Amino acid sequence: MKEISILFILFLIYSFLGWCMEVCVALHDEKKLINRGFLIGPICPIYGVGCLLMIFLLNRYLEDPLVLFVMAVLLCSFLEYFTGYLMEKLFKARWWDYSHKKFNINGRICLDNLIAFGILGLLVMYVLNPFFIGILKMVNGNILLIFSVIMVTTLIVDLSISFKIISGFKNITKSLKKDNTEEITERVRELLFERGGLYKRLVSAFNFEASEKYLREKIDKVKTSASKAIEILEREKNKKIEQITSEYNKKINDLKKKIKK
C-alpha cells in the first residue's frame, strides 16, 4: 500500500511541477501570472501521468541515456498528441495550438517540445525520481496513506467541477453559426468571460480555440440547410408562377371566346 501511495504522491509532485513550469512559460510570454491547467488546483495532470509512464516503461533504458532520451521524446509526444486530440473530441475546443511553430503535427505537438520532453525525461529518471522516492520512503506509511486519501478526495472534487465547467464549452460553440473560425473563437471567449469566475480562469489558462473541424462541420450543416431551404422556396416560387400564368392564360382564352361570339 505504501508503494501505491508513493506513486500517487509522485503523480501530484510532477503535476505540480508541471503546473509551475507552465505558469513560468505563460509569465514569460504573456507578462502576467496565469493559473494554467483545466483543473482549479495548481496541478497539470498530463505531467504527472507522463512521469508515471516513464517510471513504469523507461526504467529498462537507464543504462543508455541516448535511448532513454529518444524513448522519453516518443512517449511524451504520444501522450501530448493523444491528450490534445481527446480533449478536442470531448469538449469541441482546442486547448493548445502549435500551428504557428515550425515542424508541428496538426498543431498538437512541435519540435521544440519534443527536445524539451527528452531533456525532462533524463532529469526525471536520473535526478528527480531518486531524490523524491528516497525522501518518501523515509516517511511513515500511514502518514502517506492518510495524505493520499485526502488528496484523492480533493482531486475527485476538482475533476468533477472542472469537467462540468468545460462541458459548457460544447453548448457555447454549438450556438454559434458564423462562417469565420476566428470570429467564432472570439465570440466563444466573450461568452465565457461574461460567465465570469472559473470560466474566465479556464480561458486565461489555455490558448483556447474553438475546434476548427467542429465549427466547419457546423457551418457546413447550416449551409446545407440554407441550400435546401432556398431550393424549396425556388420550387414554390416556380409553382406559383406557373399557377398564375395558367390562370392568366385561361382568362385570356375565355376573353377571346367571348369576343368571337
Side-chain angles (χ1 to χ4, degrees):
M1 200 65 187
K2 185 175 181 178
E3 290 183 358
I4 296 176
S5 297
I6 288 176
L7 287 174
F8 176 70
I9 293 172
L10 284 175
F11 164 80
L12 293 178
I13 291 172
Y14 288 125
S15 295
F16 173 71
L17 292 178
W19 176 85
C20 291
M21 187 172 65
E22 290 284 344
V23 169
C24 291
V25 171
L27 180 61
H28 177 269
D29 294 340
E30 306 293 335
K31 309 303 179 186
K32 61 181 179 180
L33 287 173
I34 298 175
N35 183 12
R36 295 285 290 176
F38 72 89
L39 294 179
I40 301 168
I43 62 172
C44 289
I46 188 172
Y47 287 93
V49 172
C51 290
L52 287 185
L53 287 176
M54 286 185 192
I55 293 172
F56 287 121
L57 301 177
L58 302 188
N59 268 323
R60 69 186 74 176
Y61 306 113
L62 284 174
E63 294 181 0
D64 192 333
L66 180 59
V67 175
L68 180 61
F69 178 91
V70 173
M71 296 305 295
V73 167
L74 294 176
L75 178 64
C76 294
S77 299
F78 172 79
L79 178 62
E80 185 177 40
Y81 189 94
F82 175 75
T83 301
Y85 176 82
L86 183 63
M87 291 186 73
E88 286 175 37
K89 291 298 180 182
L90 286 175
F91 306 112
K92 308 304 179 185
R94 172 162 284 195
W95 300 89
W96 57 80
D97 187 8
Y98 304 125
S99 298
H100 61 287
K101 294 187 176 183
K102 292 182 178 180
F103 311 111
N104 72 85
I105 301 178
N106 296 328
R108 298 189 183 102
I109 56 175
C110 65
L111 182 60
D112 294 347
N113 284 17
L114 304 191
I115 297 173
F117 290 152
I119 295 172
L120 288 174
L122 296 177
L123 179 63
V124 167
M125 297 302 292
Y126 289 129
V127 180
L128 297 181
N129 263 349
F131 174 73
F132 289 131
I133 291 175
I135 291 177
L136 291 173
K137 282 185 176 180
M138 291 188 294
V139 180
N140 182 275
N142 291 328
I143 294 176
L144 293 178
L145 179 60
I146 293 171
F147 177 77
S148 297
V149 170
I150 293 172
M151 294 309 298
V152 165
T153 304
T154 304
L155 184 60
I156 291 173
V157 173
D158 194 336
L159 282 168
S160 300
I161 296 173
S162 299
F163 269 87
K164 183 178 180 181
I165 292 170
I166 58 179
S167 293
F169 288 162
K170 289 192 292 186
N171 297 328
I172 290 176
T173 53
K174 285 180 180 178
S175 66
L176 301 171
K177 299 180 180 180
K178 292 183 180 179
D179 191 5
N180 185 296
T181 302
E182 288 186 12
E183 291 181 16
I184 295 173
T185 299
E186 187 58 34
R187 181 58 182 147
V188 170
R189 287 178 180 273
E190 291 174 3
L191 290 172
L192 291 173
F193 267 96
E194 287 172 5
R195 293 189 177 190
L198 297 176
Y199 286 92
K200 186 175 180 179
R201 191 201 76 76
L202 281 171
V203 177
S204 300
F206 287 95
N207 179 18
F208 176 80
E209 180 179 341
S211 176
E212 183 173 351
K213 183 178 179 182
Y214 174 78
L215 295 175
R216 289 300 174 193
E217 290 175 356
K218 192 70 175 176
I219 289 167
D220 289 341
K221 288 180 181 179
V222 172
K223 286 182 177 179
T224 301
S225 299
S227 298
K228 289 181 179 179
I230 291 172
E231 289 177 6
I232 293 173
L233 290 174
E234 193 70 28
R235 286 198 298 268
E236 292 297 324
K237 183 185 75 173
N238 292 335
K239 286 181 181 179
K240 195 68 176 178
I241 291 173
E242 290 176 2
Q243 182 181 352
I244 294 173
T245 303
S246 178
E247 291 177 356
Y248 176 79
N249 289 334
K250 183 178 179 182
K251 290 180 180 180
I252 292 294
N253 290 332
D254 291 341
L255 183 59
K256 286 180 179 181
K257 288 179 182 179
K258 289 180 180 179
I259 291 173
K260 286 181 180 181
K261 291 180 179 180

